Amino acid sequence: MSALVQAPGSAVRRPRSLDGVDALTVVLWIVCGAVVLVPIGAIVALTAGGSQLGVLVQGDVVEAAVNSLVSATVSALAAVAVGAAFAVVLERTDLRHRRVLRLIALTPLLMPPFVGAIAWLGIAGPSSPLNVWWRGMFGGPLWSIYGADGVIILLTVHSYPLAMLIVSAALRRIPSDLEQAARISGAGPARALFSVTVPLLRPALLSSFLLIAVSNLADFGIPSIIGLPERYVTLATLVYRYLQSGTVDEPLAVVATIGVVLLVLAVGALLLNATIGRRGWELDASSSPAQPLPLGRAGTPLGIAMWTIVLAITLLPLLALLTQSLLRAPGVPLTLENLTFDNFAKALSSSTALAGAANSVMLATLAAVVCGVLGLGIGVLTTRTSARAAKGLNAVAMLPQAVPGIVIAVAWLIIAPRIGLFNTPWLILAAYITSFTALVVQSVTAPLSSTPTSAEEAARISGAGRLRALVDISSRMALPAAISGAVVVAATAVRELTLSVLLLSPGSQTLGVAIFNFQQAGAFSTAAAWSLVVAVLGIAVIGLATRRPS
C-alpha cells in the first residue's frame, strides 16, 4: 500500500495522450505497409519455400545473371566517369555558356530508356542512314548497335545525368577555402582542383555508382530492344520470357526466386550507400564563392568538344526519331521524295495506341494523386516530428527507390489473385504507387528539412494542436513541392514500361507497352512516331515541373 503513496516533492510522469498526429502516423503506416511491405514480404515468402532455388544454377539463369552484372557494372562505371567529368567542367571552370550546356546534358534523364533505344536504332541500327551509306561504300555496316556493347553504351547514356547531379551537388558543398589554401601554398588552379577537391568527391562517386548499378541491373527496355536481337539476355528479359512463354513450371515461383536475388543486391547496395553517408565527413561551408578554374586557350577546344558530345547524345536521338517517323520505310534514302507525314497519321489514329494512351493517362493521373497525398503526409510527418515511428515510416517509403521495378512487378503478381486485382488495370496502379511514392516524399522532405519550425511553434503557442499546426502550416508550405513531385510521378508513369509490360492484362495496355509492341512487330516508323511524341512531351512536362526549386 505504501508503494502507491507519492513521495513528497516527486513528480508523476503521465503518458501523453494520443492525438491526431498519432492517428495519422498509424494510418500512414497501414497504407505504406500495404503498398510496400506486403508485396516485398510476399515475394520473400514465396522464395523462402525453397522449391525453386535450384533455378539459380541453371545455365540460362547464370548466363543472364552474368550479362546483367557485367552490363550494370560497366555502364555504372562509365556513367560515373562521364557524369563526374561533366560536373567538374560545368561547376568548377569558366567554360562559356555552362548553364545552357548543363540543362541540355541532363536531357537523357528525362527520356524513357526504351524510347532512347528506339531513337538510337535510327542512328546506329542496321537500317540507319549511316550504316546504309557505309554498307554501300565499303560492303558492311560501320557499327551495329545490337548486342552487349550497344546495351552498355545506352545504359551509360541514360544514367550519366544521375551521376552528374550527385557530383554537382557534392561539389557545391565543398568549401572554396580548401582550394584557395592550396593556391596560396603555390599550387596552380588545375592542381588545386584535382589534388584537393576531386579526392573529396569519393563518397559521392561511390554513391552514384551504387545507385546507377542497381537501376541498370534490372532495366528492361534497353536490353529487350538492343540486346535480344543478338541473343544478349539479361535477368529482366529472362523474367519477361518466363512469364510470357510458360516454358518453365511454376513461373511465378521461378521469377520470385530471381527477384529476391535482385532484391538482396539492391538492399545491400542501399545499406552500403547509407554506411558511406554516415561515415562521410562534414565540412564547414565557405562564405566565399568557389573561384572557377580559368581554361585559357584550352577553353575553346574544350567547349567545342563538350558541345559536340552533349548534342550528339541528346539532340541526335531526337533527330533520329524524327527521321524514322518521316521516312516512308526503314532503310530508304533520306530524300525529300521519301519523306511523309503518313506515319504520324497512322500512329495517332491507331486504336491500340490510343487506348494505351488513354489507359496511361488515367493510371498516371490516379498515381499522381495518390502518391501526392501519401507523399505529402509522409514527408511532413517525418520532417516535422521526432517520433521513431515517423522515421521508420520514411525508411519504408523510400525503400522502393532501391528495389528494381521488375521485383515490384513480380511481387504484385504474387498477391494480385488474393486481393482481386489480377487481370485488372488497378494492379498496374498499385505497382505505380509502390514505385513512385518516394519521388513525392523526396520532393517534400528536401525543402521542409531546411525550413525552420518557428511558424509551427507560433501556431502551437496560439492554441493549435499538433495536427492542426502540421496541416495549416507545414502542409501548406510543402504543397507546391508535393504538386511538383506529383507532376513528375505522372510524367514518369505515363511512359513507364518495366512494370506495365509484366503486369499487362486484357484491356489495360499502356502507351509504353503499345510502343514496345509496335517495335517488336516490325512497325518501326509507328514506334518512332509515338516515341518522338512521348520524348518531347516528357521533356517538356518534367522541365516545367522542375524549372525552379520548390
Side-chain angles (χ1 to χ4, degrees):
M1 196 69 182
S2 59
L4 300 178
V5 178
Q6 179 180 345
S10 65
V12 177
R13 180 177 297 176
R14 297 181 178 178
R16 180 178 61 84
S17 59
L18 299 179
D19 59 6
V21 173
D22 297 316
L24 177 62
T25 303
V26 172
V27 171
L28 291 177
W29 260 110
I30 294 173
V31 176
C32 204
V35 299
V36 176
L37 297 181
V38 171
I40 294 178
I43 195 173
V44 173
L46 183 59
T47 305
S51 60
Q52 297 295 333
L53 290 178
V55 75
L56 297 178
V57 296
Q58 291 181 358
D60 54 349
V61 176
V62 172
E63 180 186 0
V66 171
N67 290 341
S68 296
L69 290 174
V70 170
S71 61
T73 303
V74 176
S75 63
L77 288 172
V80 170
V82 174
F86 281 10
V88 170
V89 170
L90 297 176
E91 294 289 339
R92 282 293 206 257
T93 70
D94 62 352
L95 186 71
R96 298 180 61 187
H97 309 299
R98 298 191 305 275
R99 187 170 301 176
V100 177
L101 191 60
R102 183 184 299 111
L103 292 176
I104 299 176
L106 292 174
T107 302
L109 191 64
L110 309 179
M111 182 183 295
F114 77 95
V115 170
I118 294 174
W120 278 91
L121 285 177
I123 301 172
S127 60
S128 64
L130 175 61
N131 275 328
V132 169
W133 174 80
W134 192 273
R135 188 181 295 108
M137 295 291 295
F138 302 100
L142 174 63
W143 175 64
S144 175
I145 199 171
Y146 287 132
D149 49 349
V151 170
I152 292 172
I153 290 174
L154 289 194
L155 287 175
T156 301
V157 167
H158 282 272
S159 54
Y160 85 82
L162 179 58
M164 179 179 160
L165 287 174
I166 295 175
V167 175
S168 296
L171 278 171
R172 297 188 194 106
R173 292 196 300 268
I174 297 177
S176 61
D177 300 357
L178 300 177
E179 288 185 20
Q180 292 174 7
R183 295 284 300 276
I184 293 173
S185 301
R191 184 175 181 182
L193 173 65
F194 289 101
S195 63
V196 176
T197 302
V198 172
L200 295 175
L201 295 175
R202 282 178 292 185
L205 295 176
L206 186 54
S207 177
S208 303
F209 170 78
L210 292 174
L211 293 176
I212 292 172
V214 168
S215 176
N216 291 351
L217 184 65
D219 184 82
F220 173 78
I222 290 175
S224 63
I225 294 175
I226 303 300
L228 287 183
E230 288 292 326
R231 297 183 180 179
Y232 185 78
V233 180
T234 63
L235 288 176
T237 55
L238 182 67
V239 165
Y240 176 73
R241 189 181 77 191
Y242 281 168
L243 290 175
Q244 295 296 319
S245 64
T247 55
V248 295
D249 297 329
E250 301 183 35
L252 268 183
V254 171
V255 299
T257 304
I258 298 174
V260 166
V261 174
L262 293 173
L263 178 62
V264 170
L265 293 174
V267 173
L270 179 66
L271 294 176
L272 181 57
N273 187 42
T275 303
I276 294 169
R278 286 196 299 267
R279 293 182 178 178
W281 53 85
E282 291 291 337
L283 297 172
D284 294 332
S286 172
S287 58
S288 58
Q291 298 297 320
L293 173 66
L295 295 174
R297 294 181 178 179
T300 299
L302 180 60
I304 293 175
M306 285 287 294
W307 276 103
T308 302
I309 295 172
V310 169
L311 291 179
I313 60 182
T314 55
L315 296 186
L316 197 58
L318 294 177
L319 293 177
L321 281 179
L322 180 61
T323 301
Q324 292 179 76
S325 304
L326 293 178
L327 285 176
R328 295 184 181 277
V332 299
L334 184 59
T335 60
L336 289 177
E337 292 78 10
N338 290 328
L339 298 182
T340 178
F341 286 99
D342 291 344
N343 294 322
F344 279 102
K346 185 185 302 183
L348 297 177
S349 61
S350 169
S351 59
T352 301
L354 291 177
N359 287 333
S360 291
V361 170
M362 182 266 292
L363 292 173
T365 302
L366 291 176
V369 173
V370 176
C371 292
V373 174
L374 186 58
L376 176 62
I378 295 173
V380 170
L381 196 66
T382 55
T383 54
R384 288 319 204 214
T385 63
S386 57
R388 292 183 180 179
K391 303 305 178 185
L393 181 63
N394 183 74
V396 172
M398 297 302 297
L399 178 60
Q401 284 288 81
V403 178
I406 190 173
V407 176
I408 295 174
V410 173
W412 276 105
L413 276 176
I414 294 171
I415 65 175
R418 296 172 174 82
I419 58 177
L421 293 182
F422 192 69
N423 274 343
T424 68
W426 313 122
L427 182 59
I428 299 177
L429 175 61
Y432 284 173
I433 295 171
T434 301
S435 298
F436 303 139
T437 298
L439 296 176
V440 183
V441 175
Q442 285 180 319
S443 300
V444 171
T445 54
L448 277 186
S449 298
S450 59
T451 303
T453 60
S454 54
E456 290 91 331
E457 293 171 355
R460 294 294 305 277
I461 293 172
S462 301
R466 289 203 304 159
L467 182 61
R468 178 77 179 272
L470 288 181
V471 172
D472 288 352
I473 307 297
S474 302
S475 297
R476 289 189 179 184
M477 287 193 298
L479 186 59
I483 293 175
S484 295
V487 172
V488 173
V489 169
T492 304
V494 80
R495 66 222 177 111
E496 195 278 332
L497 177 64
T498 303
L499 295 172
S500 304
V501 78
L502 293 175
L503 301 178
L504 185 66
S505 61
S508 63
Q509 178 168 259
T510 63
L511 181 57
V513 176
I515 296 174
F516 176 74
N517 288 338
F518 284 139
Q519 180 70 24
Q520 297 299 102
F524 303 117
S525 298
T526 305
W530 269 111
S531 296
L532 181 63
V533 173
V534 169
V536 172
L537 289 180
I539 292 172
V541 171
I542 295 181
L544 289 175
T546 58
R547 66 187 183 278
R548 58 184 178 182
S550 300

